[in-house]
């Protein structure tokens, strides 16, 4: 029997509530598919600030380094919002952990089951068969990390802030390969999104992507789109996309737009894959729900656990090669939410779910 060793970082708000359910699901799936779990939990985000004085403590980094993957909840909340921006959980935990493990590829499925189209803000006739796209976002380059990044005071006393957008050929090529791999397993179409009419980084991005696809994946249909148009097209006709592929900041914005049209943040999982391989020969990765800590409903037992459970499925697929187990979880979630159990989150005007009941139903449907 194989043992899957991973770090569990529940974080803040609803993080621990939905993580408990995801771990229950993983345990049951393990018995069905003949693997054992060996996981260690550690603090990250606000709880880590409270317990260790920093959002990403050394002890947590060590737990992650000793693991083959990280199952992550979410971080942040009102309690820590008055801290200086650099010390706040999202900036002091999420960006450093991505950098520490070179998590350069964010894979975010945008999935809305046809039975749930009324949960989407889009008109039903635009998405009669639901939504099924994947957003591939570069995660460790671009304007979030480029230097110089600073706020200075000019001689006349006014302040000036600067962020720098930087990309190298090698950074673009390695994320292009993730887009290719993703498209090969799906509809074999990639739309690369940039702003090549204005930005130098985008001119390079478009040229490198075009050359890389021509050389390594001529069978994949590659198209290019400016980011402003891509935002419009997502709202107009999302299923024109198969794989939506873009740099860091554009991906941050577009993947949230994709999230909202999919009806519920509580349903959307994501994988952030690293440049290194784990001891099993699969990519080291961090797996987390697309939403945040939902402070408005935390502690009430009404958070939708599906995004966390589907994140665990992505972990099984990408970092442990457990394809059948991952598919079984995804099927159980689909069966559960399409057979009457509401998927809602309050922000979308839907009925809240009972976290534990939903977990139990998913376990029954496994
Ligand atoms: P949010 O995603 O936490 O919440 C937005 C809305 O969606 C809320 O109404 C919430 O109740 C609902 N929601 C989200 N997930 C849900 C779920 N699983 N089930 C039911 N409803 C759900 O975004 P926000 O309110 O902007 O941010 C709250 C905190 O989370 C902030 O501190 C923010 O910095 C942090 N955050 C963290 C991450 C992360 O850790 N990756 C991502 C986004 C936001």
């Amino acid at each position: 029997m194989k043992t899957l060793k991973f770090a569990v970082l529940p974080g803040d708000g609803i993080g621990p509530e939905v993580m408990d359910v995801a771990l229950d699901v993983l345990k049951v799936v393990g018995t069905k598919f003949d693997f054992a779990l060996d996981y260690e939990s550690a603090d990250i985000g606000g709880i880590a600030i409270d317990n260790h004085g920093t959002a990403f403590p050394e002890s947590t980094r060590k737990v992650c380094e000793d693991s083959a993957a990280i199952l992550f909840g979410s971080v942040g909340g009102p309690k820590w919002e008055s801290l200086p921006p650099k010390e706040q959980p999202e900036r002091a935990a999420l960006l450093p952990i991505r950098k520490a493990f070179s998590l350069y590829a964010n894979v975010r499925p945008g999935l809305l089951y046809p039975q749930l189209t009324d949960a989407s803000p889009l008109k039903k006739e635009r998405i009669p068969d639901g939504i099924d796209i994947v957003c591939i976002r570069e995660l460790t380059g671009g304007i979030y990390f480029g230097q110089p990044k600073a706020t200075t005071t000019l001689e006349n006393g006014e302040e000036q802030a600067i962020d720098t957008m930087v990309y190298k050929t090698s950074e673009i090529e390695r994320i292009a390969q993730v887009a290719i791999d993703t498209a090969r397993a799906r509809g074999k179409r990639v739309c690369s999104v940039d702003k090549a009419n204005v930005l130098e980084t985008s001119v390079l991005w478009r040229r490198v992507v075009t050359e890389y696809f021509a050389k390594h994946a001529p069978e994949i249909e590659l198209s290019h789109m400016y980011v402003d148009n891509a935002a419009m097209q997502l709202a107009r006709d999302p299923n024109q996309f198969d794989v939506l592929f873009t740099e860091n900041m554009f991906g941050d914005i577009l993947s949230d737009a994709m999230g909202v049209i999919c009806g519920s943040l509580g349903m959307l999982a994501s994988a952030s894959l690293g440049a290194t391989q784990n001891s099993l020969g699969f990519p080291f990765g961090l797996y987390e729900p697309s939403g945040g800590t939902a402070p408005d409903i935390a502690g009430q037992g009404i958070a939708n656990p599906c995004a966390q459970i589907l994140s665990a499925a992505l972990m099984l697929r990408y970092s442990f090669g457990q394809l059948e187990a991952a598919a079984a979880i995804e099927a159980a979630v689909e069966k559960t939410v399409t057979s009457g159990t509401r998927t809602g989150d309050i922000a979308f005007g839907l009925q809240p779910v009972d976290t534990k009941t939903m977990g139990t139903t998913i376990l029954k449907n496994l």
Side-chain angles (χ1 to χ4, degrees):
M1 189 192 265
K2 271 191 183 159
T3 298
L4 314 190
K5 190 168 165 53
F6 57 96
V8 173
L9 311 185
D12 308 311
I14 61 168
E17 299 170 38
V18 291
M19 184 66 82
D20 279 350
V21 180
L23 290 172
D24 286 345
V25 169
L26 279 174
K27 282 173 204 156
V28 173
V29 169
T31 56
K32 278 183 185 270
F33 290 87
D34 203 30
F35 58 76
L37 307 180
D38 175 11
Y39 62 84
E40 191 172 345
S41 299
D43 290 340
I44 190 89
I47 183 134
I49 294 175
D50 291 352
N51 291 343
H52 310 264
T54 167
F56 181 32
E58 209 34 56
S59 52
T60 300
R61 176 196 281 258
K62 178 87 177 68
V63 169
C64 297
E65 281 169 356
D66 291 343
S67 302
I70 303 168
L71 191 58
F72 195 95
S74 37
V75 293
K79 186 175 176 193
W80 305 281
E81 267 164 18
S82 53
L83 289 173
K86 276 185 185 165
E87 292 170 29
Q88 288 191 15
E90 271 207 272
R91 189 150 160 198
L94 276 177
L95 297 190
I97 205 169
R98 284 177 192 160
K99 209 61 185 171
F101 295 99
S102 301
L103 302 171
Y104 71 94
N106 184 242
V107 179
R108 218 191 258 203
L111 189 62
L112 174 68
Y113 306 118
Q115 295 89 336
L116 302 176
T117 47
D118 61 350
S120 171
L122 294 189
K123 287 192 184 118
K124 240 180 173 170
E125 52 268 31
R126 294 199 181 275
I127 45 168
D129 302 319
I131 298 173
D132 183 4
I133 50 186
V134 175
C135 182
I136 306 291
R137 166 187 167 197
E138 203 289 328
L139 207 56
T140 50
I143 201 163
Y144 293 173
F145 292 98
Q147 294 295 335
K149 180 190 259 311
T151 305
T152 49
T153 305
L154 300 175
E155 274 174 15
N156 69 0
E158 73 173 315
E159 284 190 298
Q160 173 177 281
I162 182 165
D163 293 289
T164 307
M165 194 179 221
V166 198
Y167 270 108
K168 298 192 284 230
T169 308
S170 54
E171 287 175 294
I172 301 170
E173 286 182 343
R174 69 177 180 176
I175 188 76
Q177 185 59 50
V178 177
I180 289 169
D181 292 342
T182 308
R184 278 188 177 138
R186 293 175 46 92
K188 302 187 173 43
R189 289 185 296 119
V190 172
C191 179
S192 173
V193 174
D194 60 41
K195 189 72 182 169
N197 49 348
V198 179
L199 298 175
E200 280 300 310
T201 40
S202 281
V203 172
L204 181 70
W205 178 279
R206 191 175 281 219
R207 178 157 50 78
V208 171
V209 167
T210 304
E211 289 168 4
Y212 193 86
F213 273 64
K215 188 167 174 200
H216 298 279
E219 81 281 14
I220 301 291
E221 185 188 314
L222 173 69
S223 58
H224 301 275
M225 196 179 273
Y226 296 137
V227 62
D228 40 349
N229 187 22
M232 282 198 297
Q233 296 301 330
L234 259 182
R236 199 184 66 82
D237 176 19
N239 286 317
Q240 70 182 276
F241 300 112
D242 175 27
V243 175
L244 196 59
F245 164 49
T246 192
E247 63 88 49
N248 202 348
M249 180 170 62
F250 298 158
D252 192 4
I253 298 165
L254 289 180
S255 59
D256 267 24
M258 186 185 76
V260 79
I261 61 172
C262 286
S264 167
L265 270 178
M267 293 300 298
L268 297 173
S270 88
S272 300
L273 307 177
T276 55
Q277 295 202 325
N278 60 30
S279 55
L280 302 163
F282 295 105
F284 183 90
L286 180 149
Y287 302 86
E288 61 178 329
S290 296
T293 55
D296 52 338
I297 58 165
Q300 299 176 39
I302 57 170
N304 186 342
C306 289
Q308 190 74 61
I309 294 168
L310 293 169
S311 302
L314 291 177
M315 177 178 80
L316 292 183
R317 175 173 296 122
Y318 285 110
S319 284
F320 294 111
Q322 295 283 344
L323 308 187
E324 285 180 23
I329 293 178
E330 287 161 353
V333 169
E334 179 169 1
K335 188 168 173 198
T336 304
V337 300
T338 56
S339 61
T341 311
R342 287 306 314 230
T343 61
D345 60 57
I346 293 168
F348 287 76
L350 304 173
Q351 290 170 10
V353 301
D354 181 86
T355 312
K356 286 219 161 78
T357 309
M358 193 157 203
T360 315
T361 316
I362 290 168
L363 285 176
K364 272 193 211 137
N365 285 332
L366 265 170

